[in-house]
Amino acid sequence: MGFDPLSITAEIAIANALIDVGIGLESAYLAASAIAVATPYLATAAVIGGSIALSAAMQPTTKPAKAPKQAQAIDGGPRVYVIGKDLRPAQLMFSRSNGKFDLYRVGYICMGPIDGVEEYRISGRRIAVSGGTCQTEPFRSNIFIALKTGVTPQTVFSSTNSAFASYWLATARGDGEALIEWRAKSPGYDAPAHSEIFASGYPTCDVIVRGRAPFDPRLGSDPTNDSYRLWTDNSAVQILDFLTRSRLLGGWQMNVAKWDLDDIVDVAIPWCDAIVATKTGTEFQSRLWGSQNCGPDVTLADTLKALLLSSGLDILRTKRGKYTLRPVLDAPNPTAVIPWRQMLPGAVIDGGPVT
């Protein structure tokens, strides 16, 4: 397999996408160097075992809970697409007391459908949940949790709908959005256990969520076919999924026919899955975890740059005229060896993969 001498950068991919929508070749490449694509997105990506991690400042933060008002509803906020998995704070959408000491809360997690939740946290503490009830002290039997994964259609939160049918209607299903309901039950302000259970006001909720299963070229060649999706945090699979995913789901929506899927399956995916030694054991070589802010205040090019930087991969073009993904090696094997006797004085050696 041969490659063009220069790496195909994010600007080339942007220009290619512009050509797809009818912009001329020369105009597209000029626009790509200073592009601000409509419906832009940003990814906050992180990698385990290999490559460069993004700044921790880009990660979401969760503030301690405060005592709630009697009723509260919040609209707006960014649409978030989870790549791999991520710790997501439940963005409060609805908060209302039933007039006693119980509080019903509904929060937005991310765009769905998600693969599932690996861990629940209440006020920053990891908890075990069984049958929708918290099994961990001090919240045992006082916190009740229900999850909606974002399938279409999905059912309404029955508890909140039953208690506040005038405020949380049966039609408020949140199709396509992963949502969580957590109900806090207090023994009463005068009860000794109240200050322990609700030490910082009514509890907040966070989850470690596994995002939507990405398109995996090892299963098939059609990214629109859900049977070719399988959850993995493999960096090559996640980047390919991002570039071929629908714009409505935060993707670039490139034609999959432009990609050399066989080459990606043979080289990039196994490289990411390779086991490497770390100070504490072993890890997969390249993984992508994080949350993609689906704008519209961030450029699409920044998303791709963040994914490539974090994964240790780059985009190249094969001699067949298709794109592929290849690792950027710290110590690549030479493609040619020049004996020192054959080096001429004053010779100028240019940089790049050909050299």
Side-chain angles (χ1 to χ4, degrees):
M1 181 62 63
F3 298 93
D4 284 348
L6 296 180
S7 171
I8 306 302
T9 64
E11 292 183 0
I12 302 299
I14 294 171
N16 185 77
L18 292 176
I19 293 170
D20 286 344
V21 296
I23 298 177
L25 180 62
E26 182 177 356
S27 299
Y29 276 85
L30 289 174
S33 63
I35 191 69
V37 180
T39 60
Y41 315 102
L42 169 69
T44 300
V47 67
I48 286 189
S51 304
I52 305 169
L54 289 187
S55 170
M58 299 178 70
Q59 299 298 325
T61 57
T62 305
K63 296 181 179 179
K66 297 181 179 179
K69 299 178 181 178
Q70 178 68 15
Q72 183 178 14
I74 298 177
D75 296 324
R79 294 167 64 244
V80 175
Y81 191 98
V82 171
I83 295 175
K85 56 185 174 182
D86 195 19
L87 172 62
R88 291 291 309 156
Q91 181 184 347
L92 192 62
M93 299 172 60
F94 179 87
S95 178
R96 192 171 182 89
S97 169
N98 65 356
K100 300 177 182 178
F101 300 105
D102 301 339
L103 187 73
Y104 292 70
R105 289 184 142 182
V106 176
Y108 167 79
I109 300 174
C110 63
M111 297 169 62
I114 60 174
D115 188 69
V117 169
E118 289 192 354
E119 184 178 295
Y120 294 93
R121 297 184 183 184
I122 295 296
S123 295
R125 301 184 186 184
R126 291 182 294 181
I127 63 168
V129 177
S130 177
T133 302
C134 175
Q135 304 296 319
T136 307
E137 300 292 352
F139 308 112
R140 184 181 181 89
S141 301
N142 288 282
I143 298 291
F144 305 89
I145 291 178
L147 175 71
K148 302 296 179 183
T149 61
V151 296
T152 302
Q154 60 187 3
T155 58
V156 72
F157 286 115
S158 57
S159 296
T160 297
N161 173 246
S162 177
F164 309 103
S166 299
Y167 299 94
W168 195 265
L169 307 180
T171 54
R173 303 189 309 264
D175 291 347
E177 306 293 344
L179 307 173
I180 189 168
E181 172 196 71
W182 69 106
R183 294 182 290 125
K185 181 179 180 182
S186 170
Y189 287 117
D190 297 331
H194 178 88
S195 59
E196 182 179 4
I197 299 172
F198 305 100
S200 56
Y202 281 99
T204 58
C205 181
D206 310 294
V207 295
I208 294 181
V209 60
R210 292 162 62 106
R212 186 185 185 215
F215 161 60
D216 193 328
R218 291 170 292 188
L219 303 177
S221 59
D222 183 4
T224 65
N225 189 333
D226 287 343
S227 64
Y228 299 152
R229 293 184 172 274
L230 182 67
W231 190 88
T232 177
D233 50 4
N234 181 291
S235 294
V237 175
Q238 287 289 351
I239 291 175
L240 180 65
D241 178 72
F242 163 72
L243 290 167
T244 57
R245 191 192 315 144
S246 165
R247 287 181 180 266
L248 294 177
L249 294 175
W252 208 319
Q253 202 168 331
M254 288 184 68
N255 187 345
V256 72
K258 296 181 180 296
W259 290 89
D260 193 330
L261 299 183
D262 290 338
D263 187 78
I264 294 174
V265 169
D266 290 343
V267 181
I269 292 178
W271 179 83
C272 294
D273 279 339
I275 301 297
V276 295
T278 67
K279 290 184 177 180
T280 58
T282 59
E283 294 283 358
F284 290 111
Q285 188 152 234
S286 183
R287 288 294 181 265
L288 282 175
W289 294 357
S291 295
Q292 178 184 341
N293 183 335
C294 295
D297 56 342
V298 182
T299 60
L300 181 60
D302 288 343
T303 308
L304 182 57
K305 290 178 181 178
L307 291 174
L308 293 175
L309 175 66
S310 294
S311 65
L313 296 169
D314 200 1
I315 301 175
L316 303 175
R317 193 196 297 271
T318 68
K319 284 188 174 180
R320 290 197 290 261
K322 294 187 176 184
Y323 297 128
T324 191
L325 294 167
R326 281 297 172 95
V328 180
L329 302 178
D330 295 330
N333 295 324
T335 56
V337 177
I338 303 175
W340 67 269
R341 294 182 180 85
Q342 297 181 12
M343 292 184 180
L344 300 178
V348 177
I349 301 178
D350 293 329
V354 172
T355 304

